[in-house]
Amino acid sequence: MDSWKLDAEHMVREQIMTRGVTWQPVLEAMASVPRHLFLEKPLDRSAWIDSPLPIGDDQTISQPYMVARMTELLAPEPGEAVLEIGTGSGYQTAVLAAIGARVTSMERIRSLADRAREKLAELGYSATVLWHDGREKPEELGVFSGVLVTAAVDELADWWSEVLLPGGRLVAPLRVASGSERLFRRIKEAEGVFVDSWHEYCRFVPLLKGRTDGRP
Ligand code: SAH
């Protein structure tokens, strides 16, 4: 067994299960995805710690627990189409792909989008990474069973709810009063019928406007 697999199993047990995540598909996926390979070399060995980490361009790979909890709230079934806004390192994308979701992911920083696309392909995860501002709807995008936003927002873009199929879920870190952020989930029961709920407090980098070649 590769030595990182022990680190991955330890991370799942100590950081994720202990905090109450019980959804088996995400626990298995996070034990199987090589998180250390989504970081830049000098940071490889700290990949498994209980923290977000820098990935370049002033952005971060999310804390493992946060990836697990958001994925649990989204609960994608194998074969379902999922849209991720904020590809970053591609780690969350890989976790969704490992569960069997068909992922389309958008990233506004070109260098990150390119790196994530290459990494996912190299590791055999099938996902589509677009260099795109996730606040704007691209033409001919299709519909999704899940939309996962991994950058903090003041409000949801209308089109994120519009592309959801009936039964679809949207999960996002929303800013609340006092400047903190909280995980928000919307379930689209039918056209125009939503069931909204609030979950854990969290901390994400902000969703920014426009695409860029390099630093934000
Ligand atoms: N899911 C990532 C963590 C993402 S951090 C991971 O697992 O590594 C949030 C990412 O959202 C950053 O890479 C940031 O550049 C990106 N982002 C910010 N605003 C955006 C926007 N408007 N459209 C697309 N991506 C955006």
Side-chain angles (χ1 to χ4, degrees):
M1 177 152 132
D2 297 328
S3 65
W4 66 265
K5 294 221 159 149
L6 292 173
D7 294 329
E9 282 175 11
H10 188 260
M11 173 190 83
V12 168
R13 254 195 335 269
E14 301 301 322
Q15 301 175 30
I16 297 174
M17 295 174 73
T18 48
R19 289 199 180 96
V21 173
T22 57
W23 194 54
Q24 203 58 34
V26 75
L27 301 177
E28 284 169 21
M30 290 186 67
S32 79
V33 176
R35 179 172 166 91
H36 60 300
L37 299 182
F38 289 86
L39 292 170
E40 296 185 279
K41 277 274 174 283
L43 273 168
D44 268 0
R45 299 183 58 199
S46 47
W48 307 96
I49 66 173
D50 191 10
S51 171
L53 292 167
I55 52 171
D57 294 294
D58 291 340
Q59 302 304 316
T60 56
I61 182 172
S62 304
Q63 179 195 23
Y65 165 70
M66 225 4 101
V67 172
R69 184 62 182 135
M70 290 180 107
T71 308
E72 182 177 59
L73 287 170
L74 193 75
E77 299 279 335
E80 280 188 340
V82 170
L83 175 66
E84 179 188 24
I85 313 273
T87 317
S89 66
Y91 175 70
Q92 169 79 73
T93 320
V95 170
L96 294 168
I99 291 171
R102 292 183 291 116
V103 193
T104 302
S105 187
M106 298 178 175
E107 170 57 54
R108 68 179 282 277
I109 301 178
R110 185 178 211 160
S111 49
L112 289 180
D114 290 347
R115 227 182 300 154
R117 190 183 300 113
E118 278 167 31
K119 183 56 70 179
L120 289 161
E122 178 192 323
L123 296 175
Y125 295 106
S126 148
T128 304
V129 178
L130 306 174
W131 177 41
H132 185 80
D133 175 358
R135 299 162 11 119
E136 311 287 338
K137 182 174 186 287
E139 306 222 333
E140 306 192 6
L141 185 67
V143 288
F144 297 89
S145 297
V147 174
L148 179 59
V149 183
T150 68
V153 289
D154 288 322
E155 53 186 22
L156 306 175
D158 289 340
W159 72 266
W160 297 341
S161 300
E162 287 161 14
V163 295
L164 277 183
L165 289 161
R169 292 81 58 200
L170 164 69
V171 176
L174 265 188
R175 289 200 195 90
V176 291
S178 76
S180 38
E181 298 157 19
R182 226 174 141 180
L183 293 183
F184 173 86
R185 180 174 65 182
R186 158 165 285 183
I187 301 175
K188 182 169 178 174
E189 302 244 293
E191 221 44 64
V193 184
F194 300 117
V195 177
D196 294 345
S197 53
W198 290 98
H199 303 271
E200 287 77 356
Y201 283 87
C202 54
R203 186 102 201 121
F204 280 82
V205 298
L207 193 82
L208 299 174
K209 200 174 170 183
R211 295 195 306 184
T212 164
D213 264 327
R215 289 186 166 272

